[in-house]
């Protein structure tokens, strides 16, 4: 119908990323104000504010069960948050200062043209996926966790086998950057 159900207000700066939880009951927003907020979709109300980053939150995503949310920030960190308590559970990654971070659960795409796969519980590096000619702007797993997709400023997307870490498809044809992949 095109009807607007709710307008969510509360951030003090631009919202640059958002994600629905798997149950479609919550919406998470990340902002230039250094916070992420959780919103109840039915009630249209703020549930929690996730504070802890010292710079803009530029990427966020729920895990597959919806009990954790991962945020990536220009402060060069990726944080894991407990959705129920709204508390930071783990500072997953501290990147070198010359890399700007774009984060997804267990995946980190970077200005260094790579995507890194991490163990989110242990905080350990598993693999680095390379091949792009420009920075990686977005990354994601498929719903089965068998493939990893990357989007790049070089105008291409790539698909990797999550088990072997090999590139199985190069998607080319855009004339400009690809900023999102799903």
């Amino acid at each position: 119908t095109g009807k607007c159900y709710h307008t969510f207000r509360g951030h003090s700066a631009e919202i640059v990323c958002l994600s629905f939880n798997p149950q479609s009951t919550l919406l998470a927003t990340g902002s230039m104000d250094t916070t992420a907020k959780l919103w109840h979709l039915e009630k249209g109300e703020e549930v929690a504010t996730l504070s802890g980053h010292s710079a803009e939150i530029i990427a966020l995503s729920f895990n597959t069960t919806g009990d954790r949310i991962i945020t990536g920030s220009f402060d060069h960190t990726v944080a894991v948050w407990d959705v129920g308590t709204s508390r930071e559970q783990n500072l997953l990654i501290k990147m070198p200062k010359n890399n700007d971070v774009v984060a997804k659960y267990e995946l980190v795409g970077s200005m260094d043209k790579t995507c890194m796969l991490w163990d989110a519980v242990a905080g350990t590096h598993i693999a680095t996926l390379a091949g792009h000619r420009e920075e990686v702007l977005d990354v994601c797993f498929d719903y089965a966790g068998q493939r990893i997709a990357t989007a790049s400023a070089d105008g291409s997307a790539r698909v990797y086998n999550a088990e072997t870490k090999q590139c199985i498809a190069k998607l080319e044809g855009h004339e400009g950057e690809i900023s999102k992949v799903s």
Side-chain angles (χ1 to χ4, degrees):
T1 65
K3 178 184 175 189
C4 178
Y5 287 99
H6 301 292
T7 300
F8 300 102
R9 298 188 199 300
H11 283 289
S12 62
E14 295 87 355
I15 295 170
V16 295
C17 53
L18 57 85
S19 180
F20 291 96
N21 71 342
Q23 298 80 11
S24 294
T25 57
L26 294 174
L27 175 69
T29 54
S31 173
M32 300 290 279
D33 68 8
T34 75
T35 68
K37 290 186 180 285
L38 300 178
W39 308 90
H40 191 281
L41 288 173
E42 286 293 316
K43 296 177 183 176
E45 299 173 349
E46 182 180 328
V47 175
T49 298
L50 310 178
S51 298
H53 285 291
S54 62
E56 301 90 330
I57 294 178
I58 56 167
L60 53 75
S61 183
F62 284 92
N63 66 348
T64 56
T65 57
D67 63 341
R68 300 278 185 271
I69 190 165
I70 313 310
T71 56
S73 170
F74 272 143
D75 68 6
H76 309 283
T77 63
V78 174
V80 181
W81 306 83
D82 182 287
V83 171
T85 65
S86 304
R87 294 182 186 256
E88 187 176 322
Q89 297 296 296
N90 191 7
L91 184 64
L92 183 58
I93 300 163
K94 179 80 172 164
M95 296 292 289
K97 291 293 183 194
N98 63 347
N99 290 327
D100 291 320
V101 176
V102 177
K104 293 290 182 189
Y105 192 64
E106 296 184 350
L107 293 172
V108 178
S110 179
M111 301 293 267
D112 72 359
K113 306 172 191 173
T114 67
C115 171
M116 288 190 273
L117 180 62
W118 291 80
D119 179 320
V121 175
T124 56
H125 178 258
I126 297 169
T128 299
L129 309 178
H132 285 291
R133 297 180 311 279
E134 298 292 335
E135 60 266 24
V136 175
L137 301 175
D138 195 32
V139 295
C140 71
F141 280 106
D142 69 352
Y143 286 109
Q146 297 175 348
R147 294 180 187 87
I148 298 166
T150 60
S152 173
D154 67 12
S156 72
R158 291 175 182 254
V159 179
Y160 296 85
N161 179 303
E163 185 176 336
T164 67
K165 318 306 182 274
Q166 298 299 309
C167 181
I168 57 175
K170 296 177 188 174
L171 309 173
E172 300 175 317
H174 287 285
E175 293 182 17
E177 71 181 28
I178 300 174
S179 58
K180 296 299 284 179
V181 65
S182 178

